[in-house]
Amino acid sequence: MIPASFEYFAPTSVNEALALLKEHGDDAKILAGGHSLIPTMKLRLAEPAVVIDIQRINALKKISESDGKLIIGALATHHDLESSDLVQGKVPIVSQTAAAIGDVQVRNKGTIGGSLVHADPAADWPATILALDADIQIAGPNGERTVKATNFFEGLFTTVVEPEEIVTQIHVPIQNANTKGTYLKLYQVASGFALTGVAAILTKSGDTCQNIAVGITGVSDVVYRATGVEAELTGKSLTAENIAAAAEKAVDGVADILDDIHANAAYRANLAKVYTRRAIEQVAS
Ligand SMILES: Cc1cc2nc3c(=O)[nH]c(=O)nc-3n(C[C@H](O)[C@H](O)[C@H](O)COP(=O)(O)OP(=O)(O)OC[C@H]3O[C@@H](n4cnc5c(N)ncnc54)[C@H](O)[C@@H]3O)c2cc1C
């Protein structure tokens, strides 16, 4: 349970961190909250020769509002997002998702940026960030680039972030009064990770579904948008029957449903449908 030895750097700016990443290449790893990296180093699943601790880059901790968007620094902790008045007031599903993560200790140290880059298939943030259609800002040796959440997650523990890049911000659109979001999950009792987590963002026009976005985690090796559910419900009246019929499509297109000692594939598929139905019912009510 003791990690292999490594060289430690603690830069105070993004540029300094990028220069270190450039210098050390694949040998280096960014350390944010450490709640995923440190356990994998202790298990020797990761043995970086260089650890670049970005906790002293205060600019990455800021949460603000600009141009109709919530701008969330990658180092904002789950607790910061759970407790921020700005976040609770502007995009409550973000606070709700943060509150659903792990325990107090995990929420005090873990960061949204670390969680997104780690891309654990049972992590909570990816479902909500996908459903919100957020943009992810990434700094690298060639400057900044912006990636849509739908293009960010590539597979099991894999995203588009390159070894020489750092996620700096997450830009979340602020919703209008007709739009409501919720995040519901069934916890794995030991860790708190999602056996299934469903984020639903619904825009209503009267009693009709004008637009719906559903992000699902814990079911596939990569988080996904339940496009079958979205297509089935859009333009339809939000009756219990229509919502239930749409929720039945929660795992459409998922080739391999996760199957492990905590929940087999059939159970997870059923959970996805049940939690999708409950989430939509909640935002429709
Ligand atoms: C006991 C326990 C319970 C947990 N329960 C849950 C849960 O219920 N739900 C849940 O979603 N998560 C859970 N987690 C995970 C937790 O949310 C972590 O915060 C998260 O996985 C990683 O964030 P971090 O800041 O700790 O990242 P780190 O561990 O520091 O880094 C993770 C990975 O991301 C990279 N990285 C980090 N930040 C950046 C960045 N800005 N740019 C580029 N690369 C970066 C690192 O190099 C590393 O590869 C749990 C963890 C523990 C230990």
Side-chain angles (χ1 to χ4, degrees), residues 109-205:
K109 288 300 287 180
T111 66
I112 185 169
S115 177
L116 294 176
V117 177
H118 191 60
D120 189 301
D124 298 294
W125 281 124
T128 295
I129 290 304
L130 256 192
L132 283 167
D133 204 19
D135 289 326
I136 296 157
Q137 198 79 17
I138 304 170
N142 303 317
E144 294 257 338
R145 64 184 177 120
T146 304
V147 176
K148 284 236 144 278
T150 41
N151 299 324
F152 185 81
F153 303 99
E154 290 194 322
L156 191 68
F157 298 110
T158 314
T159 70
V160 296
V161 180
E162 299 287 345
E164 291 188 0
E165 292 183 318
I166 298 175
V167 168
T168 54
Q169 289 178 338
I170 297 93
H171 295 188
V172 174
I174 292 173
Q175 296 142 2
N176 65 34
N178 296 330
T179 301
K180 265 195 192 170
T182 196
Y183 178 70
L184 298 185
K185 81 189 260 199
L186 181 68
Y187 295 78
Q188 199 274 312
V189 284
S191 68
F193 274 101
L195 285 178
T196 294
V198 177
I201 311 283
L202 172 73
T203 304
K204 290 206 288 187
S205 169

Side-chain angles (χ1 to χ4, degrees), residues 189-234:
V189 284
S191 68
F193 274 101
L195 285 178
T196 294
V198 177
I201 311 283
L202 172 73
T203 304
K204 290 206 288 187
S205 169
D207 285 332
T208 301
C209 168
Q210 189 181 318
N211 190 60
I212 178 127
V214 177
I216 300 187
T217 189
V219 173
S220 167
D221 60 4
V222 62
V223 65
Y224 62 95
R225 278 277 292 265
T227 50
V229 175
E230 296 171 5
E232 177 72 22
L233 200 58
T234 302

